[in-house]
PDB file of all heavy atoms in Angstrom:
ATOM      1  N   VAL A 217      59.617 -37.176 -25.708  1.00 98.00           N
ATOM      2  CA  VAL A 217      58.758 -36.017 -25.766  1.00 98.00           C
ATOM      3  C   VAL A 217      58.536 -35.681 -27.204  1.00 98.00           C
ATOM      4  O   VAL A 217      59.480 -35.754 -28.024  1.00 98.00           O
ATOM      5  CB  VAL A 217      59.391 -34.803 -24.990  1.00 98.00           C
ATOM      6  CG1 VAL A 217      58.536 -33.578 -25.104  1.00 98.00           C
ATOM      7  CG2 VAL A 217      59.609 -35.205 -23.526  1.00 98.00           C
ATOM      8  N   ALA A 218      57.326 -35.316 -27.598  1.00 98.00           N
ATOM      9  CA  ALA A 218      57.054 -35.046 -29.002  1.00 98.00           C
ATOM     10  C   ALA A 218      56.093 -33.838 -29.129  1.00 98.00           C
ATOM     11  O   ALA A 218      55.265 -33.631 -28.220  1.00 98.00           O
ATOM     12  CB  ALA A 218      56.476 -36.257 -29.681  1.00 98.00           C
ATOM     13  N   THR A 219      56.206 -33.118 -30.231  1.00 98.00           N
ATOM     14  CA  THR A 219      55.334 -31.984 -30.489  1.00 98.00           C
ATOM     15  C   THR A 219      54.306 -32.316 -31.585  1.00 98.00           C
ATOM     16  O   THR A 219      54.588 -33.095 -32.477  1.00 98.00           O
ATOM     17  CB  THR A 219      56.152 -30.745 -30.950  1.00 98.00           C
ATOM     18  OG1 THR A 219      56.716 -30.993 -32.266  1.00 98.00           O
ATOM     19  CG2 THR A 219      57.275 -30.421 -29.984  1.00 98.00           C
ATOM     20  N   ALA A 220      53.153 -31.706 -31.454  1.00 98.00           N
ATOM     21  CA  ALA A 220      52.079 -31.799 -32.471  1.00 98.00           C
ATOM     22  C   ALA A 220      51.083 -30.699 -32.211  1.00 98.00           C
ATOM     23  O   ALA A 220      51.160 -29.972 -31.179  1.00 98.00           O
ATOM     24  CB  ALA A 220      51.423 -33.182 -32.422  1.00 98.00           C
ATOM     25  N   LEU A 225      47.543 -34.681 -29.957  1.00 98.00           N
ATOM     26  CA  LEU A 225      48.309 -34.983 -28.742  1.00 98.00           C
ATOM     27  C   LEU A 225      48.014 -36.370 -28.204  1.00 98.00           C
ATOM     28  O   LEU A 225      48.920 -37.076 -27.732  1.00 98.00           O
ATOM     29  CB  LEU A 225      48.013 -33.925 -27.638  1.00 98.00           C
ATOM     30  CG  LEU A 225      48.343 -32.483 -28.073  1.00 98.00           C
ATOM     31  CD1 LEU A 225      48.005 -31.546 -26.930  1.00 98.00           C
ATOM     32  CD2 LEU A 225      49.837 -32.330 -28.428  1.00 98.00           C
ATOM     33  N   ALA A 236      53.400 -35.026 -24.491  1.00 98.00           N
ATOM     34  CA  ALA A 236      52.989 -34.458 -25.777  1.00 98.00           C
ATOM     35  C   ALA A 236      52.869 -32.956 -25.636  1.00 98.00           C
ATOM     36  O   ALA A 236      52.124 -32.480 -24.772  1.00 98.00           O
ATOM     37  CB  ALA A 236      51.656 -35.084 -26.197  1.00 98.00           C
ATOM     38  N   VAL A 237      53.650 -32.228 -26.429  1.00 98.00           N
ATOM     39  CA  VAL A 237      53.679 -30.782 -26.363  1.00 98.00           C
ATOM     40  C   VAL A 237      52.880 -30.154 -27.487  1.00 98.00           C
ATOM     41  O   VAL A 237      53.128 -30.474 -28.663  1.00 98.00           O
ATOM     42  CB  VAL A 237      55.150 -30.291 -26.443  1.00 98.00           C
ATOM     43  CG1 VAL A 237      55.189 -28.751 -26.438  1.00 98.00           C
ATOM     44  CG2 VAL A 237      55.983 -30.860 -25.322  1.00 98.00           C
ATOM     45  N   ASP A 238      51.932 -29.301 -27.143  1.00 98.00           N
ATOM     46  CA  ASP A 238      51.095 -28.633 -28.152  1.00 98.00           C
ATOM     47  C   ASP A 238      51.885 -27.405 -28.658  1.00 98.00           C
ATOM     48  O   ASP A 238      52.021 -26.428 -27.949  1.00 98.00           O
ATOM     49  CB  ASP A 238      49.777 -28.183 -27.511  1.00 98.00           C
ATOM     50  CG  ASP A 238      48.807 -27.570 -28.497  1.00 98.00           C
ATOM     51  OD1 ASP A 238      49.234 -27.166 -29.595  1.00 98.00           O
ATOM     52  OD2 ASP A 238      47.640 -27.503 -28.163  1.00 98.00           O
ATOM     53  N   TYR A 239      52.404 -27.524 -29.866  1.00 97.00           N
ATOM     54  CA  TYR A 239      53.261 -26.430 -30.390  1.00 97.00           C
ATOM     55  C   TYR A 239      52.496 -25.159 -30.666  1.00 97.00           C
ATOM     56  O   TYR A 239      53.065 -24.097 -30.814  1.00 97.00           O
ATOM     57  CB  TYR A 239      54.064 -26.900 -31.642  1.00 97.00           C
ATOM     58  CG  TYR A 239      53.253 -27.077 -32.898  1.00 97.00           C
ATOM     59  CD1 TYR A 239      52.774 -25.986 -33.608  1.00 97.00           C
ATOM     60  CD2 TYR A 239      52.986 -28.358 -33.387  1.00 97.00           C
ATOM     61  CE1 TYR A 239      52.036 -26.171 -34.783  1.00 97.00           C
ATOM     62  CE2 TYR A 239      52.267 -28.537 -34.554  1.00 97.00           C
ATOM     63  CZ  TYR A 239      51.768 -27.427 -35.237  1.00 97.00           C
ATOM     64  OH  TYR A 239      51.054 -27.609 -36.410  1.00 97.00           O
ATOM     65  N   GLU A 242      52.796 -23.771 -26.839  1.00 97.00           N
ATOM     66  CA  GLU A 242      54.036 -23.889 -26.015  1.00 97.00           C
ATOM     67  C   GLU A 242      55.240 -23.957 -26.919  1.00 97.00           C
ATOM     68  O   GLU A 242      55.206 -24.649 -27.960  1.00 97.00           O
ATOM     69  CB  GLU A 242      53.913 -25.179 -25.212  1.00 97.00           C
ATOM     70  CG  GLU A 242      54.685 -25.161 -23.911  1.00 97.00           C
ATOM     71  CD  GLU A 242      54.440 -26.425 -23.109  1.00 97.00           C
ATOM     72  OE1 GLU A 242      53.419 -27.131 -23.341  1.00 97.00           O
ATOM     73  OE2 GLU A 242      55.240 -26.733 -22.238  1.00 97.00           O
TER      74      GLU A 242
END
Side-chain angles (χ1 to χ4, degrees):
V217 177
T219 68
L225 301 179
V237 176
D238 186 341
Y239 70 75
E242 206 174 342

